[in-house]
Amino acid sequence: MRKPFIAGNWKMHKTVVEAVDLAVALKAALADVSTMDLAVCPTATALEAVSHVLTNTNIGVGAQNMYWEDSGAFTGEISPLMVKELATYVILGHSERRQYFGETDATVNLKLKAAIRHGLTPIVCIGESLAQNEAGETVPFVGNQIRGAFAGISQQDAGKVVLAYEPIWAIGTGRTAMPADADRIIREAIRDVLRDLYGEATAQAIRVQYGGSVKPGNMADFIVMPEIDGALVGGASLKVEDFAGIVSNAAQALKA
Ligand code: 13P
């Protein structure tokens, strides 16, 4: 059984002071949750302070990106060694990084290998654009993103990866995928490709989150889907009531 995993991607929001306030509030609000893995991914400048607040709690900390080299003349970048001092997770290949910062399946693959090499748990994002969705290209496109991300990754290492299916047209738009559609795409574009690459057991072990306008009011509809193992939450992870509401509604729905 895959343990549900809900993570907040704070994107480029929150100063260090604001991030600490949110982390302190989340620590209190989510202290009783044990049936799910939880994490928050603050901006790089707030990682140290937030990880300090959340040490020895049930909330993990993740970075939103990193470079693949351990060190060197790469101005502005953060290495896996640096992330590892402060976080256990790292989001890789978010669509905003692909869209605005030139990331490709090939660079995501290099980052994924670096994360695994350093014992970080990667959350690899994949998902199609609106044009691709409307053209019926979602399954082949997302399947290719999976093949690209996992190129050269062993079966044993593949099992350590978390995936986040985030249709680009659903991110920050208030327009979510239909849960049944997201479930089908995860099965056909992700689970089937992983089975082809690594066999049934690994394909079934890898957790796949849904991301894109997740809110307290729609979380239950996603989490009950057989292929959806949690959520990567953007906007609604920035307010303690919303993120705590998402987590408690998911827990309720799974209990029912
Ligand atoms: P929203 O929840 O704001 O749509 O963002 C989703 C996302 O991109 C999480 O990584």
Side-chain angles (χ1 to χ4, degrees):
M1 281 307 291
R2 301 184 292 264
K3 189 174 186 186
F5 178 23
I6 298 181
N9 173 8
W10 293 359
K11 305 195 180 182
M12 199 175 72
H13 295 287
K14 307 282 179 192
T15 63
V16 176
V17 170
E18 292 165 347
V20 165
D21 283 350
L22 179 55
V24 167
L26 287 171
K27 177 177 161 175
L30 299 172
D32 293 338
V33 178
S34 60
T35 53
M36 279 181 269
D37 287 339
L38 303 173
V40 294
C41 304
T43 190
T45 52
L47 271 178
E48 181 168 10
V50 168
S51 71
H52 187 68
V53 172
L54 297 177
T55 302
N56 295 326
T57 70
N58 58 338
I59 308 175
V61 176
Q64 297 175 13
N65 176 38
M66 65 175 198
Y67 197 56
W68 57 82
E69 296 284 352
D70 289 359
S71 64
F74 302 104
T75 301
E77 292 295 310
I78 298 172
S79 89
L81 288 171
M82 296 162 187
V83 170
K84 206 179 149 183
E85 288 183 300
L86 306 172
T88 52
Y89 298 97
V90 60
I91 298 173
L92 298 177
H94 192 281
S95 62
E96 288 149 15
R97 298 225 44 97
R98 296 177 192 253
Q99 185 176 354
Y100 304 125
F101 303 102
E103 295 203 13
T104 63
D105 290 339
T107 60
V108 172
N109 176 249
L110 289 168
K111 292 178 180 200
L112 180 53
K113 286 173 176 161
I116 289 168
R117 195 161 62 237
H118 289 285
L120 288 160
T121 298
I123 303 174
V124 176
C125 302
I126 61 272
E128 81 288 0
S129 68
L130 184 59
Q132 288 165 328
N133 184 282
E134 288 178 342
E137 294 166 359
T138 299
V139 169
F141 178 77
V142 174
N144 269 338
Q145 287 185 313
I146 294 288
R147 289 182 190 277
F150 282 90
I153 307 271
S154 70
Q155 181 189 37
Q156 193 190 350
D157 286 339
K160 301 169 185 164
V161 177
V162 176
L163 296 170
Y165 170 59
E166 302 203 309
I168 296 169
W169 49 271
I171 294 176
T173 58
R175 187 179 160 189
T176 58
M178 298 296 289
D181 288 343
D183 194 64
R184 178 184 58 80
I185 290 159
I186 292 170
R187 189 167 54 250
E188 293 178 3
I190 300 177
R191 211 72 78 189
D192 287 356
V193 172
L194 290 172
R195 181 182 303 107
D196 191 34
L197 293 172
Y198 298 112
E200 181 68 18
T202 304
Q204 291 301 333
I206 292 174
R207 292 184 291 183
V208 184
Q209 301 172 319
Y210 168 79
S213 298
V214 172
K215 303 274 182 300
N218 59 29
M219 183 70 242
D221 298 334
F222 285 103
I223 199 77
V224 297
M225 290 289 144
E227 302 292 354
I228 297 177
D229 306 313
L232 185 56
V233 185
S237 71
L238 297 170
K239 283 196 188 141
V240 64
E241 317 80 68
D242 288 346
F243 195 65
I246 285 169
V247 171
S248 74
N249 289 349
Q252 285 296 329
L254 288 172
K255 245 193 270 169

